[in-house]
């Protein structure tokens, strides 16, 4: 009965019925059929009310409305506009600079908003017209915007990671910490692709002309900056050659691959220095960065914090905090230590990074749970919107309505999944799936290849929430039986499920971009030229290379599990010998005299 039940669910979904009602109806109908055929015991349905109340009392899922509300407030607070404008000026002078800026801002928005729609729509409205204005290939521009927006599903605080942790019965904090490094590495792979495209096809991603660099100081000298940049690159290369920096990431990516990674980082740093981006590196900013890097390494060695998500967040927060102090003193006393662009970068970067530390930093260092971190993030987003003068009643009403709508959507799918799983487990469907997956040839590797292929194909038709609620509960027990770490397994599948946003023809990120991209010819408001629209085919073809990059990231997670399993290094390590000694001290030895008999007084 279990295979027929699963096939009927697929049929319902292909017919276009809502997922929540398809799941619930399938569970109830087959439950009644099973009772009639004697294959399903009615007492299973008596557990249904308890399942429903248990779902609604799940405090972990409270993080979903908190992070959704935070993202929607930040989307309308103007933070994305400031970030894209300023970071675009930083990278704009080099080939592919605007694309790098989109990737960088996409990662920042992912670590603050956690909502794909907010990131894609914001960057599509702001960056796409500018990229088209200065001659970017439409496929490259649309692909990098859609892909950077999907980083919100793998970089914490991602909503899908919350659901994934709940379905796998694992800690959301561990899931966040395990996904942080793969998320940053995925953004780095996007940037590496843009580097190759801009090198091989320079016309596909040109740099900004001088007249478009509005934050550039007219009397700015680039030679001293390049000298400082060369010194910084040399110091960086020395730390790599001596093994100081590779030692930090040896637990994430061991062996030759670790040295190769740092070699690529050094090459990219040298490229940016020689390409003119070092104009930001004034002597004062150079000193700030040097002190921050030294402080970060000292923090790691003195406190024992391992290189991972918590280390990155803490050192990044310390760096930006120190830079903010220098920039504030420079502006108040008009010392002229920072260039106009460098000062603007510092002030624009502080709000999102402060919010990242408020949310992720408190979770990683164990001060707050993910639900509490989401509550603090929501309050921080409201304060940030108020400080920018954007906090209006209409904004709060729209954000609250959208949050309630998405939360109800998630809750109803989860309730439907509970009804379906109740019947599916009652007819031993979980045993059927587990035996089917465990018996695949190739052991763990065969299981991983088959599961990733299945999720990739299903992502063409199902949303990531639907995949998390329907597929993950079936795959988790089989993975656990094979001895696979479920946090690592969940992060790997989360990267794979990310492709559901980029799959033509049903990718949601592509639909979001299509809704804001020009559909008809228009006159550019700056140049006055007639611009051609962006076709749907160009958006689809632009997404294909980034889907391939996401699959490469899945392969890297399989090859280098340490980039996820580093979350274990932050846990409490128990000394089994000391525990055994304490138990022996509590129990009397064999030579100890027996206790005296109990005296109940004279008997009557």
């Amino acid at each position: 009965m279990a295979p027929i039940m699963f096939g009927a669910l697929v049929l319902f979904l292909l017919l276009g019925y809502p997922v929540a009602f398809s799941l619930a109806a399938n569970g109830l109908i087959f439950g009644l059929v099973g009772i009639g055929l004697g294959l399903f015991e009615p007492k299973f349905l008596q557990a249904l009310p308890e399942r429903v109340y248990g779902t609604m009392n799940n405090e972990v899922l409270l993080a979903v409305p908190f992070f959704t509300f935070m993202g929607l407030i930040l989307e309308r607070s103007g933070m994305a506009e400031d970030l894209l404008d300023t970071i675009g000026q930083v990278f704009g002078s080099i080939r592919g600079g605007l694309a790098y800026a989109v990737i960088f801002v996409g990662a920042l928005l992912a670590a603050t908003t956690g909502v794909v729609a907010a990131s894609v729509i914001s960057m599509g409205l702001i960056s796409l017209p500018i990229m088209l204005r200065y001659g970017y290939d439409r496929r490259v521009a649309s692909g990098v915007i859609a892909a950077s927006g999907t980083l919100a599903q793998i970089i914490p605080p991602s909503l899908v990671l919350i659901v994934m942790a709940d379905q796998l019965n694992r800690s959301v904090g561990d899931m966040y910490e395990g996904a942080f490094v793969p998320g940053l590495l995925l953004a780095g792979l996007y940037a590496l692709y843009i580097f190759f495209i801009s090198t091989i096809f320079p016309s596909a991603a040109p740099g900004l002309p001088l007249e478009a660099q509005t934050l550039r100081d007219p009397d700015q000298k680039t030679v001293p900056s390049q000298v400082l940049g060369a010194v910084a690159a040399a110091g960086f290369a020395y730390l790599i050659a001596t093994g100081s920096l590779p030692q930090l990431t040896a637990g994430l990516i061991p062996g030759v691959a670790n040295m190769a990674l740092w070699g690529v980082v050094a090459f990219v740093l040298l490229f940016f220095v020689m390409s003119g981006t070092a104009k930001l590196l004034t002597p004062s900013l150079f000193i700030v960065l040097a002190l921050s890097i030294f402080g970060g390494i000292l923090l790691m060695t003195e406190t024992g914090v391992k290189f991972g998500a918590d280390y990155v967040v803490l050192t990044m927060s310390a760096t930006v905090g120190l830079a903010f102090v220098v920039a504030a003193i420079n502006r108040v006393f008009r010392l002229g230590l920072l260039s106009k662009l460098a000062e603007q970068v510092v002030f624009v970067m502080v709000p999102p990074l402060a919010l990242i530390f408020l949310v992720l930093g408190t979770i990683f260092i164990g001060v707050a749970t993910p639900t509490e971190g989401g509550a603090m993030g929501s309050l921080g987003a409201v304060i940030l919107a108020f400080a920018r003068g954007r906090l209006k009643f209409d904004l709060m009403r729209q954000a609250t309505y959208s949050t309630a709508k998405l939360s109800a959507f998630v809750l109803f799918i989860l309730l439907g999944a509970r009804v379906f799983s109740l019947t599916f487990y009652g007819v031993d469907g979980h045993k059927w799936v587990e035996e089917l997956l465990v018996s695949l040839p190739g052991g763990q590797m065969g299981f991983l290849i088959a599961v990733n292929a299945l999720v990739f194909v299903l992502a063409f038709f199902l949303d990531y929430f639907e995949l998390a609620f329907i597929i993950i509960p079936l795959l988790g027990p089989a993975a656990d039986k094979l001895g696979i770490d479920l946090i690592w397994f969940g992060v790997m599948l989360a990267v794979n499920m990310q492709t559901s946003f980029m799959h033509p023809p049903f990718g949601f990120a592509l639909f979001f971009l299509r809704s804001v991209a020009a559909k008809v010819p228009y006159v550019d408001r700056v140049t006055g030229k007639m611009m051609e629209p962006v076709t749907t085919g160009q958006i689809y073809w632009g997404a294909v290379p980034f889907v391939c990059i996401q699959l490469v990231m899945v392969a890297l997670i399989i090859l280098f599990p340490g980039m996820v399993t580093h979350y274990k290094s932050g846990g409490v390590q128990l000394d089994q010998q000391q525990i055994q000694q304490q138990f022996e001290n509590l129990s009397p030895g064999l030579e100890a005299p027996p206790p005296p008999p109990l005296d109940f007084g004279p008997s009557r």
Side-chain angles (χ1 to χ4, degrees):
M1 187 171 173
I4 300 175
M5 186 176 176
F6 191 79
L9 175 62
V10 174
L11 180 62
F12 283 154
L13 295 176
L14 291 178
L15 289 175
Y17 286 100
V19 177
F21 302 126
S22 297
L23 286 166
N26 205 351
L28 292 176
I29 291 173
F30 277 92
L32 296 175
V33 172
I35 292 173
L37 297 177
L39 302 175
F40 182 73
E41 297 184 13
K43 65 180 180 181
F44 275 94
L45 293 180
Q46 296 175 359
L48 186 57
E50 183 181 353
R51 288 284 190 99
V52 172
Y53 285 117
T55 300
M56 299 178 70
N57 287 329
N58 191 341
E59 292 186 3
V60 174
L61 294 178
L62 271 177
V64 173
F66 281 137
F67 285 125
T68 303
F69 182 78
M70 181 182 76
L72 293 170
I73 291 292
L74 290 177
E75 177 193 359
R76 296 166 173 84
S77 67
M79 185 182 70
E81 290 89 337
D82 293 342
L83 281 171
L84 286 167
D85 181 56
T86 305
I87 305 302
Q89 296 281 329
V90 174
F91 295 107
S93 59
I94 61 175
R95 288 199 301 259
L98 288 177
Y100 292 129
V102 166
I103 295 170
F104 184 81
V105 174
L108 275 180
L109 292 178
T112 50
T113 63
V115 181
V116 172
S119 299
V120 174
I121 291 174
S122 298
M123 294 189 294
L125 287 171
I126 300 163
S127 296
L128 186 59
I130 301 175
M131 298 172 83
L132 299 183
R133 179 183 306 151
Y134 296 110
Y136 270 70
D137 184 89
R138 282 165 166 74
R139 292 170 297 181
V140 173
S142 58
V144 74
I145 289 174
S148 300
T150 61
L151 289 172
Q153 287 312 299
I154 188 60
I155 295 180
S158 164
L159 299 182
V160 71
L161 293 178
I162 299 174
V163 176
M164 188 78 71
D166 177 70
Q167 295 300 301
L168 293 174
N169 293 318
R170 289 298 183 268
S171 166
V172 177
D174 288 344
M175 191 71 74
Y176 275 0
E177 194 163 355
F180 194 79
V181 173
L184 295 183
L185 185 57
L186 183 60
L189 291 178
Y190 289 166
L192 192 62
Y193 169 73
I194 294 298
F195 173 76
F196 284 122
I197 288 294
S198 60
T199 303
I200 300 173
F201 306 104
S203 60
L208 285 178
L210 288 178
E211 60 270 15
Q213 300 175 34
T214 56
L215 293 177
R216 186 175 183 270
D217 292 336
D219 56 346
Q220 187 173 304
K221 298 178 180 180
T222 58
V223 176
S225 298
Q226 289 186 346
V227 171
L228 287 174
V231 172
F236 203 77
Y238 173 77
L239 291 176
I240 294 175
T242 57
S244 298
L245 290 177
Q247 186 179 2
L248 297 179
T249 56
L252 306 181
I253 304 177
V256 179
N258 187 31
M259 293 298 296
L261 173 65
W262 282 106
V264 171
V265 172
F267 174 77
V268 171
L269 176 65
L270 183 62
F271 168 77
F272 280 116
V273 168
M274 301 308 295
S275 63
T277 310
K279 62 179 178 289
L280 280 175
L281 203 57
T282 56
S284 57
L285 191 59
F286 176 78
I287 295 173
V288 168
L289 290 175
L291 288 175
S292 301
I293 293 173
F294 175 76
I297 296 176
L298 184 65
L299 176 69
M300 185 201 68
T301 54
E302 293 297 327
T303 62
V305 177
K306 303 296 183 181
F307 188 87
D310 48 358
Y311 175 77
V312 171
V313 172
L314 289 174
T315 52
M316 181 175 61
S317 303
T319 302
V320 175
L322 185 58
F324 176 74
V325 171
V326 173
I329 294 174
N330 180 70
R331 173 171 290 189
V332 171
F333 295 100
R334 299 182 180 180
L335 301 177
L337 298 176
L338 298 178
S339 66
K340 181 181 178 181
L341 181 55
E343 187 177 277
Q344 180 69 13
V345 168
V346 172
F347 283 116
V348 166
M349 290 284 289
V350 165
L353 289 177
L355 203 59
I356 290 172
F357 175 75
L358 182 66
V359 177
L360 298 182
T362 54
I363 294 174
F364 290 159
I365 64 179
V367 175
T369 65
T371 302
E372 294 166 347
M376 291 191 295
S378 299
L379 179 60
V382 171
I383 294 174
L384 183 60
F386 177 78
R388 292 173 174 269
R390 302 288 185 92
L391 190 63
K392 310 294 183 184
F393 175 77
D394 189 55
L395 184 148
M396 293 291 290
R397 182 184 59 81
Q398 292 178 3
T400 305
Y401 174 77
S402 299
T403 301
K405 186 176 179 181
L406 179 62
S407 302
F409 166 75
V410 173
L411 184 62
F412 267 89
I413 290 183
L414 184 54
L415 292 178
R418 293 292 192 217
V419 178
F420 175 81
S421 64
L422 192 66
T423 305
F424 196 72
Y425 278 50
V427 297
D428 291 333
H430 60 296
K431 295 181 180 179
W432 169 68
V433 173
E434 184 176 312
E435 292 174 0
L436 178 66
L437 294 175
V438 171
S439 60
L440 289 172
Q444 284 189 2
M445 188 56 64
F447 169 78
L448 293 175
I449 293 174
V451 164
N452 278 289
L454 173 66
V455 171
F456 181 75
V457 172
L458 289 177
F460 278 91
F461 312 103
L462 298 178
D463 179 54
Y464 64 99
F465 274 133
E466 299 160 2
L467 286 170
F469 287 131
I470 299 173
I471 301 299
I472 301 305
L474 302 179
L475 302 180
D480 193 30
K481 188 173 183 179
L482 288 172
I484 297 174
D485 184 277
L486 291 186
I487 295 291
W488 176 81
F489 184 67
V491 171
M492 179 193 65
L493 290 186
V495 176
N496 197 335
M497 289 161 57
Q498 196 180 5
T499 60
S500 66
F501 285 94
M502 300 287 290
H503 278 317
F506 300 114
F508 282 98
L510 307 182
F511 286 158
F512 296 146
L513 185 60
R514 174 70 280 174
S515 66
V516 297
K519 301 179 182 64
V520 295
Y522 65 98
V523 177
D524 185 77
R525 62 182 181 83
V526 175
T527 62
K529 296 180 180 179
M530 181 63 70
M531 304 294 294
E532 293 296 322
V534 179
T535 65
T536 303
Q538 289 169 340
I539 294 177
Y540 285 169
W541 280 111
V544 171
F546 292 94
V547 173
C548 297
I549 293 173
Q550 290 169 345
L551 295 179
V552 169
M553 190 66 229
V554 173
L556 289 177
I557 291 176
I558 295 175
L559 293 175
F560 305 107
M563 69 175 66
V564 176
T565 56
H566 70 87
Y567 77 92
K568 297 179 180 179
S569 62
V572 178
Q573 303 297 325
L574 300 178
D575 191 338
Q576 297 298 329
Q577 292 183 354
Q578 291 186 2
I579 295 175
Q580 184 65 29
Q581 183 64 39
Q582 290 179 5
F583 274 112
E584 291 177 357
N585 293 337
L586 289 175
S587 60
L590 295 177
E591 68 280 359
L598 297 177
D599 185 5
F600 295 102
S603 59
R604 296 181 181 177

